[in-house]
Amino acid sequence: MVIAAQPLPRATARPPRATSVRHLGPNWYATVMGTAVVATAGSALPLGVPGLRTACAAVWALSLGLLLTLLAGRALHWRHHRDQARAHLLDPATAPFYGCLAMALLAVGGGAVTAGRDWVGPAGALLLDAVLFTAGTVVGLAAAVTVPYLMAVRHRVAPDQATPVWLLPVVAPMVSAALGPLLVPYLPAGQPRQTLLFACLAMFGLSLLATLLMLPVIFGRLITGGPLPLALTPTLFLVLGPLGQSTTAVGKFADAAPGVVPAPYGEGFGVLAVLYGVPVMGFALLWLVFATAHVVRARRHGMGFAMTWWAFTFPVGTCVTGAEALARHTGLVVYGWLAVGLYVLLLAAWGTTALHTTRGLVTGALLAAPRPAPAAPRSTTARTRSDGVR
């Protein structure tokens, strides 16, 4: 008797691995930035609140934990979902968020020296800052070149798609400029210290000029195209980032320059901190009111929670550190109180956004496939053109 050979059962397909991180985009690094700046800004407040230093150290430790978790999650994302990772790079709405990776590394590194040294020790904080500053600066400079290049040659962007998100990759070097001076005193005297300080000044100029190229495009889109879609309205706060961070940077230059560069230049950094910082902080406050008015309007039209709410945190935090720098270099009490007021706003924004984010993670809504952003609501009043036609 011949027994017919039976076909072997076909192996069942394995379920996709690490599916929970398939839609974990680079925008999630904003959670690290927004958390770290709470610690950094709080550690320099002109207040003697009991327990504030310990609270800032605890928040910094939380930001470090978030950074390590996200680095692991993003590594899984690139390993198991390379198609999605490539799609992110080719998406003009997502690619700019690669600047957030650099700023997350830099923010946690700077926070180690300013807020975390009580927990990890001065030597550990310095080593951690040196590693994260180097990595963040390299990633930031790469993003500042690569993302605009992709936008020019690969992405297909219409004028009405301009949003403040475009600022993220070009602002990253400004964060390096603001945090690099913290490492200057730990380098050998002479050329090493001068080189780092002037490198930070170069990154300040790089980021500032790139921002000045982007801002007119973004503001022009608002004037000619109307309000942003509801989910993107919080990104208007991102404009505060380069304003507050650049004010912080010139203040840090003035702190580090004495004894590092020749006397005339050292004094010049102190002058720059005031003559640049005061008017830029004035514009930052104007933009804060402008962006808040847009958010209030969007909220009335049904704007719900989205990850873009993290734009309420880090940019406001840079304005806190900018006001703290102006308080040091002008001696004016009003800037100290401005820093305190903005810090209260930062705490409220961070607490609200962190609560909604935690809830979204528990329900799984934030790691689900993204839905298209709703269109901007039509105004009940027709907009009048410059020639008077409605």
Side-chain angles (χ1 to χ4, degrees):
M1 181 176 64
V2 178
I3 301 177
Q6 299 294 323
L8 295 175
R10 298 180 64 181
T12 57
R14 292 183 179 180
R17 293 173 293 177
T19 55
S20 61
V21 299
R22 177 167 177 77
H23 299 288
L24 184 69
N27 59 316
W28 277 85
Y29 287 112
T31 64
V32 179
M33 298 160 53
T35 302
V37 80
V38 171
T40 303
S43 64
L45 283 176
L47 294 174
V49 178
L52 178 61
R53 187 182 181 93
T54 302
C56 289
V59 174
W60 172 81
L62 174 60
S63 72
L64 176 60
L66 287 173
L67 176 63
L68 295 176
T69 301
L70 280 173
L71 288 174
R74 288 288 295 166
L76 288 174
H77 176 86
W78 273 94
R79 180 179 179 181
H80 298 295
H81 305 289
R82 292 180 184 176
D83 60 324
Q84 188 74 1
R86 286 192 294 267
H88 285 164
L89 280 172
L90 298 178
D91 182 0
T94 306
F97 284 101
Y98 276 91
C100 291
L101 167 58
M103 290 186 280
L105 295 169
L106 292 163
V108 174
V113 174
T114 57
R117 63 178 181 269
D118 292 342
W119 287 26
V120 298
L126 179 60
L127 177 61
L128 184 60
D129 187 20
V131 172
L132 293 181
F133 174 79
T134 302
T137 299
V138 171
V139 173
L141 291 174
V145 174
T146 303
V147 175
Y149 174 81
L150 288 174
M151 293 176 70
V153 303
R154 294 295 300 273
H155 299 164
R156 295 296 178 262
V157 181
D160 62 352
Q161 291 178 299
T163 72
V165 172
W166 289 6
L167 293 171
L168 290 173
V170 299
V171 171
M174 186 67 79
V175 181
S176 293
L179 295 176
L182 294 175
L183 295 171
V184 168
Y186 300 100
L187 293 177
Q191 290 283 330
R193 292 185 182 180
Q194 292 181 18
T195 299
L196 178 56
L197 184 59
F198 280 110
C200 291
L201 181 60
M203 288 187 287
F204 166 85
L206 178 160
S207 182
L208 179 63
L209 294 176
T211 298
L212 292 177
L213 288 175
M214 291 285 192
L215 275 180
V217 178
I218 295 166
F219 188 68
R221 180 258 176 265
L222 289 173
I223 298 300
T224 60
L228 294 174
L230 296 182
L232 290 176
T233 301
T235 64
L236 288 172
F237 274 72
L238 294 177
V239 176
L240 296 174
L243 303 175
Q245 199 67 273
S246 62
T247 303
T248 303
V250 293
K252 294 293 186 182
F253 296 159
D255 293 339
V260 174
V261 296
Y265 300 109
E267 296 172 359
F269 278 115
V271 174
L272 177 66
V274 175
L275 295 186
Y276 174 88
V278 171
V280 170
M281 183 57 65
F283 180 67
L285 294 177
L286 170 67
W287 191 271
L288 176 62
V289 176
F290 174 78
T292 301
H294 273 260
V295 169
V296 171
R297 175 189 178 279
R299 199 66 175 143
R300 288 203 307 264
H301 285 84
M303 181 188 76
F305 173 74
M307 286 297 290
T308 52
W309 281 32
W310 283 99
F312 297 142
T313 57
F314 188 77
V316 174
T318 67
C319 291
V320 176
T321 56
E324 291 167 348
L326 287 175
R328 291 195 307 273
H329 292 286
T330 64
L332 294 177
V333 177
V334 66
Y335 283 114
W337 285 112
L338 175 62
V340 172
L342 290 173
Y343 190 71
V344 171
L345 177 62
L346 171 62
L347 286 179
W350 179 79
T352 303
T353 306
L355 177 62
H356 281 284
T357 303
T358 303
R359 184 180 302 162
L361 283 172
V362 171
T363 62
L366 288 181
L367 291 177
R371 293 176 296 177
R378 293 193 177 191
S379 174
T380 55
T381 304
R383 299 185 63 188
T384 303
R385 287 168 31 187
S386 60
D387 56 4
V389 178
R390 287 181 177 269

